[in-house]
Amino acid sequence: RDASEYPFIVAGSAFLHIPVASIDGMNVVYSDYIMDLQALRIYDKKQNQEASANAVSDRALSRLIMNKLTGRVAEEYGVSLDETKIKQATDVLISQYSSRETLEEEMQAGFGWSLDTYINRIMIPSLLEQKLLEKFETEDATIGELHVKEQIQGRHNLFKVEKESDRKKDKTAAQK
């Protein structure tokens, strides 16, 4: 939590891909952590929110870890974003401001980032998470049915069965 923000250290960690954390074989690069830490400080200051250094550090690191995990799960389930979806979300965001330039200024003032950085670090991971949640919601019934089926199959295999007629009776009982 006592992170060095010296430009040489941050640049070196980016070049060497030095991790600040690792989860399930995936590294969160130190320079990404520092970038998010700095952005959260700017954001909190602009919102007149005071948070401890540890709280800000935890928020930055947990978001980066969550993005890594979301990316892994999305890949496992074949969920991805296309450029059209990203452009639509970007257009919606821009439409909330008088111009793209105004939004760029707000991003710089609110996070210390360009709009492209915001899109890549915040918007795209959020869109991917939403799309993954939608997939789980639509496939939830199928996943649940498979889980119940596995439980039933496992459960009726635990009964000692002497006769075939007993097997059918026990299987019926196990399914209840």
Side-chain angles (χ1 to χ4, degrees), residues 115-163:
L115 177 57
D116 288 338
T117 301
Y118 176 85
I119 289 167
N120 288 315
R121 297 184 72 84
I122 303 293
M123 184 185 297
I124 290 174
S126 295
L127 290 170
L128 188 59
E129 184 177 343
Q130 287 172 358
K131 194 165 181 184
L132 190 58
L133 288 172
E134 289 168 7
K135 180 171 181 81
F136 286 147
E137 287 173 358
T138 58
E139 293 187 5
D140 188 40
T142 305
I143 293 169
E145 289 170 12
L146 291 174
H147 180 68
V148 170
K149 184 176 179 182
E150 289 169 4
Q151 283 184 337
I152 290 170
Q153 288 173 346
R155 201 164 153 204
H156 87 270
N157 289 335
L158 297 176
F159 293 102
K160 183 176 180 182
V161 179
E162 300 292 330
K163 302 178 203 168

Side-chain angles (χ1 to χ4, degrees), residues 6-26:
Y6 290 111
F8 177 76
I9 301 291
V10 175
S13 72
F15 179 74
L16 298 172
H17 299 283
I18 295 173
V20 68
S22 181
I23 181 128
D24 199 23
M26 299 176 293

Side-chain angles (χ1 to χ4, degrees), residues 4-150:
S4 175
E5 296 181 37
Y6 290 111
F8 177 76
I9 301 291
V10 175
S13 72
F15 179 74
L16 298 172
H17 299 283
I18 295 173
V20 68
S22 181
I23 181 128
D24 199 23
M26 299 176 293
N27 291 333
V28 174
V29 180
Y30 183 79
S31 58
D32 289 341
Y33 164 71
I34 294 299
M35 187 176 189
D36 280 17
L37 190 64
Q38 292 170 342
L40 283 171
R41 286 186 196 136
I42 293 168
Y43 178 80
D44 285 352
K45 186 175 182 180
K46 185 168 180 169
Q47 299 296 317
N48 293 320
Q49 296 176 357
E50 289 189 33
S52 70
N54 287 343
V56 175
S57 174
D58 290 348
R59 282 176 32 218
L61 192 55
S62 64
R63 193 185 70 72
L64 289 167
I65 290 170
M66 187 63 185
N67 287 350
K68 289 284 185 182
L69 291 172
T70 300
R72 165 78 54 87
V73 172
E75 187 177 305
E76 288 174 11
Y77 284 89
V79 173
S80 62
L81 295 173
D82 58 22
E83 290 299 318
T84 305
K85 181 83 170 165
I86 296 167
K87 183 173 179 355
Q88 287 172 343
T90 302
D91 291 345
V92 167
L93 182 62
I94 292 170
S95 73
Q96 296 172 10
Y97 294 85
S98 59
S99 68
R100 182 182 180 100
E101 291 75 26
T102 303
L103 176 57
E104 288 273 1
E105 291 169 6
E106 284 294 319
M107 288 296 152
Q108 192 62 46
F111 294 98
W113 290 347
S114 68
L115 177 57
D116 288 338
T117 301
Y118 176 85
I119 289 167
N120 288 315
R121 297 184 72 84
I122 303 293
M123 184 185 297
I124 290 174
S126 295
L127 290 170
L128 188 59
E129 184 177 343
Q130 287 172 358
K131 194 165 181 184
L132 190 58
L133 288 172
E134 289 168 7
K135 180 171 181 81
F136 286 147
E137 287 173 358
T138 58
E139 293 187 5
D140 188 40
T142 305
I143 293 169
E145 289 170 12
L146 291 174
H147 180 68
V148 170
K149 184 176 179 182
E150 289 169 4

